[in-house]
Amino acid sequence: MEFLYFLLIGAISGWLGGQLWKGSGFGLFGNIIVGIVGSIFGGWLAGKLGIGGGGLLWQIIIAAGGAWVLLFLISLFKK
């Protein structure tokens, strides 16, 4: 069940990241994949910075931030 929860948060964060990063998205499914990877990255980065919370909204914000950063980095190499 935790894995499905993780995928759902990643999918939501990928969609949010795609909405924040207009013009450099990868379509709905691509953004969901980037969101899942970005949620891992965002969680890792938040842990290193010592920020975080336990709530669902906070997890989505962290994951969306990770997805946004990942979309930004990918867009640098995509051009």
Side-chain angles (χ1 to χ4, degrees), residues 6-33:
F6 171 76
L7 289 177
L8 180 64
I9 290 175
I12 292 170
S13 66
W15 178 79
L16 284 173
Q19 295 301 310
L20 292 172
W21 196 258
K22 292 280 189 188
S24 294
F26 297 100
L28 179 63
F29 293 114
N31 285 346
I32 288 172
I33 298 299

Side-chain angles (χ1 to χ4, degrees), residues 4 15 22 35 43 48-49 58 67 69-70 75:
L4 292 175
W15 178 79
K22 292 280 189 188
K48 291 292 183 187
L49 295 175
W58 184 252
V69 169
L70 192 59
S75 72

Side-chain angles (χ1 to χ4, degrees), residues 1-10 56 59:
M1 187 67 178
E2 288 182 28
F3 184 70
L4 292 175
Y5 181 67
F6 171 76
L7 289 177
L8 180 64
I9 290 175
L56 176 63
Q59 290 175 354

